[in-house]
Amino acid sequence: MALDGWHQKYLEILKEFNYNRSREIRSAKILNSFLKSGFRLDSIKKKIKNKIVFVIGAGPSLDYSLLHLKKFKGFTKIVADGATQALLENNITPDIIVTDLDGNMEYLKRSSELKSIMVVHAHGDNISRLPFAISFRHCIGTTEDKPFGKIKNFGGFTDGDRCVFLANYFKASKIILIGMDFGTNIGKYSKGKVHNKSIKIKKLRKGKSLLEWLASKSDVDLYTTSHPISGFKNIKLTDLQRLVR
Ligand SMILES: Nc1ncnc2c1ncn2[C@@H]1O[C@H](COP(=O)(O)OP(=O)(O)OP(=O)(O)O)[C@@H](O)[C@H]1O
Ligand SMILES: Nc1nc2c(c(=O)[nH]1)N=C(CO)CN2
Ligand SMILES: [Mg+2]
């Protein structure tokens, strides 16, 4: 189950974004029916527990940050949806991808073939995209609502903040954010085409506030390489080597 207090946060999200709860639940049930049984959470836990984990978002700073990220082979990388393309183009394979399947599927499929673990999120507006999950090798399903069957709830809203909730849930030793700029400039790897920029910006603002809430409750050492997030320490990309030693 997600962090204590998550359900209240979820009810606020439904209200703020005018989402229909029964559609959220229907989506999760459909995803549950597509997933193979037998996926072991142990394989995710092994990559996160007591490890230094990078969470990679699709903000504008991602391109520049990749030059630095390349030096951290062997460290666990949890990647938000659209950022997958940037990593694969730089020959970095995500360990875990967190996605609501609303972006370019080509890179997700390719990464899945390279054995990335796919954490697919079901929500009320991606029901028609859920069948893509069938083709993934290692796949787990999530919801913001109550977990059941093969569907988990680690907490979080947008793909990027859900990566952080996941790393926190499985008790990383440190979580380091890359390309998680938030703000009002949408990164070029984000979702291909943004249909409604003001909603996207509103979602980012919500994602950031959820991370600040998480930080207020978490024991994990939290860092960001981009704009300040309350509860996260700022670290320069050039100081990362020192941090992970
Ligand atoms: N400035 C930014 N531009 C784009 N993504 C950002 C930015 N800052 C942080 N991110 C994180 O990177 C993640 C990956 O982006 P992507 O657009 O693929 O995901 P998404 O959450 O599915 O988008 P949407 O909320 O529109 O469905 C976002 O979910 C967000 O948490
Ligand atoms: N119903 C609904 N739920 C969501 C949506 C969305 O567009 N619609 N987007 C999310 C992350 O971007 C997370 N949850
Ligand atoms: Mg997405």
Side-chain angles (χ1 to χ4, degrees):
M1 191 59 194
L3 218 52
D4 235 20
W6 169 255
H7 191 69
Q8 189 54 39
K9 292 283 167 194
Y10 168 56
L11 296 180
E12 284 166 24
I13 290 169
L14 291 177
K15 218 167 167 185
E16 265 178 68
F17 290 85
N18 200 22
Y19 294 150
N20 174 327
R21 185 165 178 196
S22 52
R23 226 169 59 196
E24 304 285 309
I25 295 171
R26 181 146 45 92
S27 181
K29 284 185 180 160
I30 292 169
L31 180 59
N32 186 54
S33 74
F34 288 150
L35 296 176
K36 301 175 199 94
S37 41
F39 180 87
R40 289 169 57 83
L41 280 184
D42 278 7
S43 56
I44 293 194
K45 191 169 165 186
K46 226 166 69 191
K47 286 181 181 286
I48 296 177
K49 190 157 179 160
N50 297 326
K51 298 257 167 75
I52 296 174
V53 170
F54 288 93
V55 164
I56 298 143
S61 70
L62 175 59
D63 258 340
Y64 170 74
S65 306
L66 282 173
L67 300 172
H68 293 269
L69 191 66
K70 278 182 177 179
K71 298 175 200 149
F72 297 90
K73 279 213 173 91
F75 286 86
T76 296
K77 296 172 192 84
I78 308 183
V79 179
D81 212 354
T84 304
Q85 175 177 355
L87 265 78
L88 293 185
E89 285 173 352
N90 284 274
N91 298 315
I92 306 170
T93 306
D95 295 278
I96 300 169
I97 295 176
V98 172
T99 174
D100 61 354
L101 304 173
D102 63 350
N104 184 337
M105 290 306 301
E106 183 193 335
Y107 294 93
L108 296 189
K109 277 194 202 138
R110 215 184 283 173
S111 208
S112 166
E113 289 306 310
L114 295 170
K115 301 207 175 80
S116 303
I117 297 171
M118 312 301 287
V119 180
V120 172
H121 191 65
H123 61 59
D125 295 296
N126 72 349
I127 293 177
S128 65
R129 312 278 296 173
L130 296 176
F132 286 116
I134 296 170
S135 63
F136 294 149
R137 277 168 167 238
H138 307 289
C139 185
I140 169 179
T142 60
T143 179
E144 286 152 71
D145 210 290
K146 303 263 193 246
F148 65 94
K150 289 161 260 169
I151 305 293
K152 312 290 173 196
N153 181 354
F154 306 115
F157 177 48
T158 72
D159 291 330
D161 66 84
R162 267 185 282 112
C163 293
V164 183
F165 276 79
L166 179 74
N168 182 73
Y169 182 91
F170 286 107
K171 300 192 166 44
S173 61
K174 288 184 172 71
I175 302 174
I176 305 170
L177 308 190
I178 305 275
M180 293 283 282
D181 303 302
F182 296 102
T184 55
N185 294 322
I186 313 298
K188 69 176 184 199
Y189 293 105
S190 180
K191 208 189 199 172
K193 46 191 185 322
V194 173
H195 296 296
N196 186 328
K197 194 168 176 209
S198 67
I199 291 183
K200 180 78 189 179
I201 290 168
K202 189 175 165 192
K203 282 183 170 185
L204 287 178
R205 203 180 314 127
K206 188 71 190 177
K208 184 181 176 194
S209 81
L210 289 169
L211 288 187
E212 295 179 334
W213 174 70
L214 175 134
S216 73
K217 299 169 81 77
S218 171
D219 301 329
V220 179
D221 226 2
L222 303 165
Y223 295 86
T224 181
T225 56
S226 188
H227 303 296
I229 301 173
S230 157
F232 286 65
K233 290 167 222 150
N234 265 92
I235 176 114
K236 291 194 185 109
L237 287 159
T238 46
D239 287 340
L240 282 179
Q241 293 277 12
R242 201 160 39 81
L243 183 70
V244 306
R245 262 208 296 266

